[in-house]
Amino acid sequence: MVQRLMKKDFKKNKVIVFTLFTFILLSAMLLSSALTIATELTGSLDHLFEKAKVPSYVQMYAGDFSQDEINTFSENNELVKNQQTVTMLNIDGESLFLQVNGDSEVNSIIENSFVKQNEAFDFLLDSRDEIAGVHDGEIGIPVYHQQLYNLELGSKVQVQIGDFKKTYTITSFIRDAQMNPSLVTSKRFLVSDNDWNELETKLSNQEHLIEFELNDDSSISEFEKQYEASNLPQSGTALTKSLYQVLNALTDGIVIAIIILISLLLLLIASLCLRFTILTAIEEDYREIGIMKATGISNKNIRKLYLTKYIVIASIACLGGYLASLAVTNVFTKSMSVYMGLAPKTMISYFLPLLGSLLVFLFVYLFCRLVFRRFKKISAYQALQAGEISGNRKIAHRMQLSGKKHWIGNHTIFIGIREVLTQIKTYILLMLVFAISLFMMSVPFNFLQTIQDSSFISYMGAGESDLRIDIHQMDKYKEESEEVFRYLTNESLNNDVIEKVASYETSAYQMKNADHEISTIKIESSKDYDVFPLHYTDGRAPQNDKEIALSSMNADEFEVSVGDTVTIILEGKEEKLTVSGIYQDVTNGGKTAKGMLESDDVLWTTYNFNVKDASKINEVKTKLEQTFTHIKVTDMDNYIKQTLGGIIEQVTSLSVVSFALSLFISILITSMFFKMILAKEAKNIAIMKSIGISTKTLQRQYIVRALFTLLIGLIVGVVLTNVLGTQVGSLLLSGVSKLTFVTNPLINYLIIPFSLVLVVSLSVYIVSVSIKKMNIMLIAE
C-alpha cells in the first residue's frame, strides 16, 4: 500500500519531489565537500610538515651574529632537539628573469632568495614530496612562480648581476612549508652548493633564518620566552610552527568556511520547502486522511505513511550528495594539491564526508517528525485553501477591488499585490528563499570586492597610500634610507608629482604581558599618524611618546583595552604607556603595534606617499628604483593582488558558483511554489476565465505576485547582508574583528536584483502556461 501511494504521489508531484531532492542533495554534497576539503587540508598539511620537518621556531635576522653563541644556547637548552642557521641570498627583482617573455621581476613585490638544501630539517620538497635535489646549472622554482607564470620543467631562469650572467634550467618545482602561501612575500629558490657559493660572491644582501627544532612542539611558547630573554639576534620577525600552519591553511580555510555557509543556507531553504510541502500535502489529502481515521488507522500510522516518502527522498538525495562530493572536491583541492600535495587517503577521509551526509539526513528526518507532531492541529490548514481568503482578513476587506478607489491604478497589479498581502503567511516561504538567495549572492561578492580594493591595506596595519618603500637592513642602508626620505620630502615640496609623505620606523622592544613575563614586540613609530590615517576599531592613533596602539590580537594577548597601561622596557627602565587605540591587522600573524618612540636600533623603515596624478604612479615608481639602488617601491594595488592572489582566485570561483546556485534555487522554488498555487486555485481560475478574464491577464497577476514577493525578499536580504554579512566576513580573516564591506553598486543593486527579477518572471510565466488548459469543467470535479 505504502509503495503504491508513494509511486502515485511521486508521479503526481514531480516538480515538488525534484525540488526537495535537489536541495537535500546539494546540501549534503556541499557539507560533505567541505568536510572532505577540511580532511584533505589537515592531512596534507600534516604530511607536508612531516616530510619537510618544519622548524618549531624561526628567527629571521639580517646582519652579523655569532653562531657560537647560538650553539651554546642550543646545547644548554633541554627543549632544543636540533638547530641550524640558513643563509638566504636575496636578489633584486631587476636581476632575476623568470618569465617566458623575458621580463624581469622588477615589478614584483616578492622577495626572492637562493638557498642550498638543508641537512638536518626544513627541507624543500619536490612535486613528489621528496627532498628536492638539484645539480650544478639546475634550479628548483617555488610553486608560487610556477602557477603565476605557467612554467614547465626545462624552462630557463636567468640571473644577471652587473656583468655576471648565468642561466639555470628548471628541474624541480619546490614546495616550501615555510614560504608556500602568497601571503608570505619571501620565496626560496633551490640551487646546488657550488652554484650557491658562486652566487654568494655576487649577492651581498643576505638574510639568515635561525631555526630550532624542539623535542616537543607543545613547548614552543616556553621556548619563545627563553629565546626572547636571551642576547641572541631578535631584530627580525620571529615565526612559529603554528603560524606556518595558519598561513598555509588560510586560503583553503576560507573556501571551507564559505562552502559550509552555503550548505547551511541550502539546508535552511530545504527545511522551509519541507514544511511548506508537508502542510500542503496534508491539506490536499484532508478527505483521505479523514477516511483513514474513520477506518481505524491511528495517527501514528498515518504519520508513518507520510514520513516514509520524505525518508526515501532524503536517503537517496544524501547518498547522491556524498557520491557527488567525491568528484566535486577535486575542483576545490586542485590548488591545495599543487602547493602542499595530497596526503594518502585514510578511513577518516571517507568516513567524515559520509558523516556530513548522514547529518543532513538526520536533520531532515528530525525536522519532518517535528512538523508531523502538529498533525492534529493542521488538518484544516488554510494557507492555500481554495475559494477563501486566508491570512489577514482586515487587509482583504480594506483592499476590495469594487466600490472604492485603491492606491494602485492598474487592476492587475492591485490584485496581485492584494493576494500576497492577504495570504502573507503562504508567501513568507518565497520571501525568505529570495532573501537567502540574495544573501548567498551578495556576501561572497562583497567579500571579494573588499579584499581586492586598495582600502583593504587598512586591514594590513597600514594607512591607504599610492606607493610604499620598505628598506630593511638599516645597519647597511641607513644613509640611503635618509637620502630617500629627503628626496621624497623635497619632491613633495617643490613639484606637483608627489603629494604627501610619511615615515615609519619599526624597532624591537621588550614588553611585559599580563603574567608579568617579558616578551619581544615590534613597534612601528611615526611622528604623524594623521598623514595616512588608519581605521581604529576602538580609540585612536598615538599622539605622544606615552601612548601606544595595539593590533586586536596583541590587545587580546596582553589582555588590555583602550585606556589601560602596558609596560615597555626603554633603555633598561620600565615605562608605562597608555593604550590609545586598537586596530585590525592580518600581517605578521596579526601581532603589531604603533607608537611614537625613538630608537637607535631600527629594524626597517617604511615610507608611504601619494602621487598627485594617478596616471604617473608607474612613472614615479620606475624613477625612484632607478635613482636608488637598494629600495623596492610597491604599488599598493599590486601589493594586495599579489599577497592575496590565492585567496582572491578561490573566492572569485566560489562567488560565481554561489551566484549561479542562487539563481538555480530561485528558479526551482518559484516553479514549485506557483505550480502548487495554480493547482489550488484552479477552480477560481476557471471561473474567472468563464466570465471573460483573459489568460494573459491572469498570467500577469501571478507574475505581479512573484515580483512583489521578490521585492520584499530583496529588502530583507539587503538588511541581512548589511547586518550579518560583515560578521561572516570577519570570521574568515584572522586578525580582523570588524570587517566593513566595500561594495560594488553595479553588482549589488543592478546585476543581482535584475538577475533574480528575470529568472523569477520567466519561471512564473512558464509555469502559468498551464492556465490555458483550465476551464469551467474543473468546477464539477
Side-chain angles (χ1 to χ4, degrees), residues 702-717:
Y702 284 100
I703 291 174
V704 168
R705 291 194 202 184
L707 293 180
F708 182 65
T709 306
L710 174 61
L711 175 63
I712 299 174
L714 291 178
I715 294 171
V716 175

Side-chain angles (χ1 to χ4, degrees), residues 182-201:
S182 59
L183 275 172
V184 180
T185 55
S186 298
K187 303 297 174 193
R188 295 188 285 187
F189 289 69
L190 180 66
V191 292
S192 68
D193 290 3
N194 290 332
D195 286 337
W196 189 91
N197 292 333
E198 181 182 34
L199 288 168
E200 186 182 21
T201 64

Side-chain angles (χ1 to χ4, degrees), residues 43 65 216 233 261 313 429 468 508 516 558 565 574 598 652 662 664 721 772:
F65 65 97
D216 186 357
L261 172 65
I313 294 173
L429 164 70
R468 166 177 173 151
H516 300 286
F558 289 102
T565 59
E574 292 188 359
E598 292 186 4
T652 299
S662 298
F664 179 63
T721 301
K772 294 179 181 179

Side-chain angles (χ1 to χ4, degrees), residues 61 312 327 491-492 512 587 596 670:
Y61 180 72
V312 170
E491 287 289 302
S492 67
K512 283 188 175 181
T587 62
M596 302 187 76
T670 303

Side-chain angles (χ1 to χ4, degrees), residues 42-60:
T42 303
S44 298
L45 205 54
D46 290 343
H47 183 70
L48 176 69
F49 275 40
E50 181 183 350
K51 286 280 188 177
K53 296 189 70 174
V54 177
S56 307
Y57 184 85
V58 177
Q59 174 66 58
M60 301 182 73

Side-chain angles (χ1 to χ4, degrees), residues 46-90:
D46 290 343
H47 183 70
L48 176 69
F49 275 40
E50 181 183 350
K51 286 280 188 177
K53 296 189 70 174
V54 177
S56 307
Y57 184 85
V58 177
Q59 174 66 58
M60 301 182 73
Y61 180 72
D64 299 328
F65 65 97
S66 171
Q67 182 62 44
D68 290 338
E69 291 182 5
I70 296 174
N71 292 339
T72 301
F73 172 82
S74 302
E75 291 166 2
N76 295 332
N77 194 314
E78 60 182 13
L79 300 178
V80 178
K81 178 181 179 181
N82 212 338
Q83 192 280 325
Q84 69 182 10
T85 300
V86 178
T87 300
M88 302 190 300
L89 305 177
N90 299 331

